[in-house]
Amino acid sequence: MAILFHWRDATPGIWLDAFKTAGCGTDIRTFEMPGNREEIEFAVVWAPPPGQLKTLPGLNYIFSIGAGVTHITLDPEWPTDVPIVRLQDRLLVLDMSCHVIHWVLHFHRHYDRYACQQAERRWLRHRYPENADRRVSVLGLGQTGQDACRRLRDLGFAVTGWARSQKSINDVRCLAGEAAFDTVVHDADILVNLLPLTDATTNILDAAVFDRMPRGSFVINCGRGSSLCDADLLSALECGNIEGAALDVFREEPLPESSPYWDHPRVYVTPHSAAPTNERSAAEFVAAQIRMAMDGGQPAPVVDMSRGY
Ligand code: NDP
Ligand code: OXD
């Protein structure tokens, strides 16, 4: 049994230690040095080169070194019969919530204006609504969305969460399904996207959404870039429907130099860094899951490809 590992930014020692400690063996291969490909049962990957996973005939599981899996499934040749196990990690979840809270506060308290004023040496306070009067809508109530909702609620914001299936979170208005989408968007002074990218969520943030949101509202996108129609957002920013946006994910990453987002005075760009994978905890999680599979158990959570996430 061998494990194939592919992540350009990895610290190999951390993963080797985790595999060894969990009893997963020490036979770790790479795409560059795969050895006998038939021996490789597990692939642990972030952004594997397209066409490579399908060259591993003995693969039992693919482990994503990230919560999202589009870095695997956008490869038109990925082996669709092999289950993908997503990363579940409380540190990633905490980091995401911190990122979301940062931008919610940034827009809510007008820190964006103060940054401009400082450049002009201008001393001017801006009023802001009470937290309870600022409505934050969170799209996606999975591991990241639920935690973000709870923490925003604890800060006193009026939080609405939206998912496919009905959820229940104390003091958070939880809505579900397509029929509720218009309400979620209509009531969003600040809209946070924490949806996975699927057929249903591609281009979900479009002109109709920005028209429906209250004038002067804000967008925070941490899900995937292809959920957001860039031209529609730029128009909404132009006409003032949307006052500002904090974008962490993009259709093309790295964001091309020619992107209008770089220079936009009311767009904040971060380089897919909302919730970077914590190597130590991710390695422990993946190693424990591999060990479970070696013992005949079922690693989880497995991506349900009929839903696309
Ligand atoms: P989960 O799979 O745990 O949760 C996904 C949520 O989205 C679920 O609540 C699900 O509903 C909901 N959902 C999916 N499709 C729809 C739909 N069509 N309509 C309504 N709700 C829908 O994902 P995570 O919270 O772990 O991560 C979410 C995404 O965030 C990832 O897929 C990734 O793209 C992105 N991400 C970005 C990071 C970054 O650094 N920028 C880091 C980590 C993740 P239900 O509960 O009913 O199934
Ligand atoms: C992601 C991640 O899926 O970094 O974006 O985990």
Side-chain angles (χ1 to χ4, degrees):
M1 186 284 290
I3 299 171
L4 180 130
F5 186 85
H6 178 86
W7 183 20
R8 299 228 175 274
D9 297 335
T11 313
I14 292 180
W15 294 85
L16 280 171
D17 282 353
F19 293 144
K20 216 190 287 179
T21 307
C24 305
T26 51
D27 191 355
I28 314 299
R29 316 270 179 90
T30 60
F31 285 122
E32 291 77 22
M33 296 184 64
N36 179 353
R37 291 169 190 269
E38 286 173 10
E39 293 166 354
I40 296 173
E41 290 184 31
F42 306 105
V44 180
V45 294
W46 177 263
Q52 286 294 313
L53 285 170
K54 75 155 192 216
T55 67
L56 308 175
L59 213 48
N60 289 330
Y61 284 97
I62 300 168
F63 292 88
S64 165
I65 310 177
V69 295
T70 45
H71 64 101
I72 298 166
T73 56
L74 288 180
D75 171 2
E77 294 185 294
W78 80 276
T80 50
D81 54 330
V82 181
I84 300 178
V85 182
R86 289 183 341 103
L87 184 61
Q88 260 186 346
D89 183 3
R90 67 182 174 81
L91 292 180
L92 178 148
V93 167
L94 176 63
D95 282 357
M96 182 61 87
S97 290
C98 289
H99 178 91
V100 168
I101 288 167
H102 171 92
W103 288 111
V104 166
L105 293 178
H106 183 90
F107 293 132
H108 171 58
R109 297 287 299 270
H110 306 303
Y111 295 135
D112 47 343
R113 296 185 197 167
Y114 295 131
C116 300
Q117 284 177 208
Q118 185 172 351
E120 296 164 8
R121 299 171 181 260
R122 202 147 66 94
W123 183 271
L124 174 67
R125 282 191 192 151
H126 298 282
R127 291 184 184 281
Y128 50 90
E130 285 181 27
N131 291 14
D133 293 329
R134 184 72 87 175
R135 298 165 305 167
V136 183
S137 287
V138 176
L139 305 180
L141 290 176
Q143 57 171 345
T144 57
Q146 290 202 24
D147 191 73
C149 282
R150 289 197 179 93
R151 292 180 192 275
L152 289 165
R153 169 206 65 195
D154 290 347
L155 290 172
F157 291 103
V159 183
T160 297
W162 184 68
R164 259 172 36 132
S165 55
Q166 187 61 47
K167 302 284 186 290
S168 168
I169 306 173
N170 273 349
D171 295 327
V172 172
R173 181 172 66 152
C174 292
L175 300 176
E178 275 175 44
F181 185 64
D182 276 358
T183 305
V184 175
V185 162
H186 178 267
D187 295 350
D189 299 322
I190 301 177
L191 185 67
V192 180
N193 178 37
L194 286 171
L195 289 167
L197 185 68
T198 66
D199 288 348
T201 64
T202 299
N203 296 326
I204 194 169
L205 301 180
D206 62 4
V209 166
F210 304 136
D211 282 350
R212 202 161 165 72
M213 288 172 67
R215 192 167 171 78
S217 49
F218 302 93
V219 173
I220 299 172
N221 189 19
C222 316
R224 281 292 179 266
S226 296
S227 288
L228 174 69
C229 295
D230 296 315
D232 293 0
L233 176 64
L234 288 163
S235 303
L237 284 160
E238 186 67 34
C239 74
N241 260 13
I242 300 296
E243 192 171 321
L247 308 178
D248 186 59
V249 284
F250 303 90
R251 273 168 203 266
E252 191 182 338
E253 294 181 7
L255 184 64
E257 253 182 67
S258 58
S259 168
Y261 287 142
W262 286 117
D263 299 320
H264 200 292
R266 283 178 289 121
V267 173
Y268 298 86
V269 170
T270 49
H272 199 140
S273 58
T277 295
N278 177 295
E279 280 200 82
R280 233 169 264 287
S281 57
E284 271 171 30
F285 173 82
V286 171
Q289 299 290 318
I290 292 179
R291 185 65 244 177
M292 188 188 301
M294 289 168 69
D295 293 341
Q298 303 238 310
V302 166
V303 175
D304 174 350
M305 286 317 295
S306 65
R307 297 183 316 186
Y309 66 98

